[in-house]
Each structure stands twice: as structure tokens, then as C-alpha cells.
Amino acid sequence: MEPPFIGKVALVTGAAAGIGRASALAFAREGAKVVVADVNVEGGEETIALCRALNTDAMFVRCDVSQRDEVERLIALAVDTFGRIDFAHNNAGIEGVQAMLADYPEEVWDRVIEINLKGVWLCMKYEIRHMLKQGGGAIVNTSSVAGLAGSRGVSAYVASKHGIVGITKAAALEYARNGIRVNAICPGTIHTAMIDRFTQGDPQLLAQFAEGEPIGRLGSPEEVANAVIWLCSDKASFVTGATLAVDGGRLA
């Protein structure tokens, strides 16, 4: 049977590693052509090599999603190369630093908001403009369980991820009758480089993170990618404006 996304094009930001890379590879397995975007050129090139090994076309574009000109160029290159953008996973993000709110560095706050929230807005701005021309599409934004509940010491990250939930709902309502579905995924503790930075290689601390999940383990990037694929598929055709927690039961 032919893969369901044959003839479709998927764009994934923050795809040099972790959830973004897993998402790009999941789209490739489903038959889509994949546009990989990231500021990490080496990691991005590795991702497209892995996509091509799955017998699909893939291209890499270096892009800082906080910069309007770079995002506009990304969308233009994707359309010029593949003719369309059917699916977009706006995943690029950073965690900032760990500090109490009153001590949080202003320059780090600004950078977290610029990449995590403004970056999602800019990507949607240009993705939606093209999707309106082609008659529809599906967008998934990466928020977090920190976008649905508070967390100490990471106020900029929490604010940005709550903002993603809000802008996802607003966009879903604005474009629901244009054939464009917009949803958000809210990962829990997923074993990525971000978690490794938090734990600093301490196996006991990593075990504590795992123990804090009701399911008793950390999630994998591939499990999050599976949720992205479902939200983009026809199986989720009546789903828009949703926030899907992929968190092993943590918020429950």
C-alpha cells in the first residue's frame, strides 16, 4: 500500500535533533518530501541524509525563526523547490536558563520569547499565506506541558509555551473555514538534548525525571513525532485548535 503522504510536502523547524529530527523522519516514512530548517547546519544536514535514506526528497535551509527575513526566505525556498507546503511542524525552541523570575536575565528572556513564541508566529504567518493560496494545510506547533501548567525557575520558557497554546487557538479559529487546521502538541519530559543539559549527565537526576512521570519513564522523540503525524493526517480531519499532551499522564 502506498504511504499516505506521497505527493505531500512537510516543513519542520528545529529539525537538527530531538523531536524535530524525529518528526522529519516520521514525515519521510509516510512518503512526504521534507524541508528541514534549523540554525545547526551540521545537524540539519544529518537529518536530511537520514530522510533521503528513507527514499524521499529532502532539503535543508538554515533559518533563525526569530528573524522575519529568514523565515520568509525559508517558506519561499520550500515552495520554489517542492511547489507546496502541506504540513508544517513549528518546533524550534530553546529553554533559556534556570533562574527565579526576579533574577531572570532580561536578554535571555527576550531571546526565549523571540525564538519560542515570535518564531512560531512568524512561521505561521508565512506558512498560512501560502496555504491559503493552495487551498489548505495542517500546522502543528510545539508547546509543552509547561504551556499548560506552571514550573519554577523557567518563567520565560513557561510564558513562551503558554503563548504558543494561545496563538494556536487563535489561528485555528481564524482559518478553520479555509481548510487550514492548527493544533499544538505539549510534550512532557522527553529524552532529548534539552533534558541532558538539565541533568548534566547525572544518572540519578535523570532517574528522578523518569520517576516523576506517572508512566514510569521518559518519553521518546519518536512518540511525540507520532502525535504530530496523526494531527497532520486525515484521521484528525475534525481536530483543530487542540492542545495534545504527550506526557505519560503527567498533567492528569
Side-chain angles (χ1 to χ4, degrees):
M1 193 168 90
E2 194 173 74
F5 290 170
I6 287 287
K8 305 292 187 179
V9 179
L11 166 68
V12 184
T13 67
I19 290 171
R21 173 174 286 180
S23 176
L25 293 176
F27 278 117
R29 290 188 191 96
E30 297 297 308
K33 299 174 183 178
V34 184
V35 181
V36 169
D38 206 296
V39 293
N40 180 346
V41 175
E42 183 179 356
E45 295 286 355
E46 289 175 358
T47 299
I48 63 166
L50 292 168
C51 288
R52 288 170 178 164
L54 296 169
N55 298 313
T56 192
D57 289 338
M59 66 178 291
F60 171 72
V61 180
R62 188 196 180 282
C63 179
D64 179 346
V65 296
S66 71
Q67 302 300 309
R68 178 186 59 81
D69 291 347
E70 293 192 28
V71 174
E72 188 174 13
R73 174 177 172 270
L74 165 65
I75 303 306
L77 284 172
V79 174
D80 287 347
T81 302
F82 293 135
R84 58 190 299 112
I85 300 173
D86 299 282
F87 315 121
H89 180 194
N90 299 318
N91 170 73
I94 60 173
E95 69 269 29
V97 299
Q98 290 183 287
M100 297 297 281
L101 188 145
D103 302 316
Y104 207 93
E106 183 178 354
E107 65 277 10
V108 180
W109 172 280
D110 288 344
R111 189 60 179 155
V112 171
I113 298 299
E114 283 178 356
I115 294 174
N116 293 8
L117 182 53
K118 181 183 177 183
V120 166
W121 170 68
L122 282 173
C123 286
M124 284 203 294
K125 180 182 181 76
Y126 292 102
E127 291 157 0
I128 287 171
R129 286 183 178 183
H130 177 70
M131 288 177 176
L132 287 170
K133 294 177 184 177
Q134 72 183 24
I139 296 172
V140 178
N141 300 319
T142 298
S143 179
S144 167
V145 291
L148 299 172
S151 186
R152 295 184 182 91
V154 285
S155 55
Y157 185 79
V158 169
S160 70
K161 294 301 185 177
H162 271 71
I164 289 170
V165 169
I167 198 172
T168 296
K169 292 179 179 181
L173 292 174
E174 290 177 359
Y175 298 101
R177 300 204 175 187
N178 298 103
I180 300 172
R181 295 186 299 104
V182 188
N183 294 290
I185 52 166
C186 297
T189 309
I190 309 300
H191 199 169
T192 64
M194 185 182 292
I195 291 300
D196 289 338
R197 286 191 292 272
F198 271 118
T199 59
Q200 298 181 338
D202 184 341
Q204 288 187 327
L205 190 54
L206 191 64
Q208 287 176 16
F209 271 105
E211 185 61 29
E213 295 294 321
I215 205 168
R217 63 174 176 84
L218 302 182
S220 72
E222 291 73 21
E223 287 173 311
V224 181
N226 289 338
V228 174
I229 294 298
W230 180 76
L231 285 170
C232 287
S233 74
D234 289 342
K235 294 177 181 179
S237 58
F238 201 57
V239 180
T240 194
T243 51
L244 177 58
V246 186
D247 68 346
R250 180 175 170 185
L251 289 177

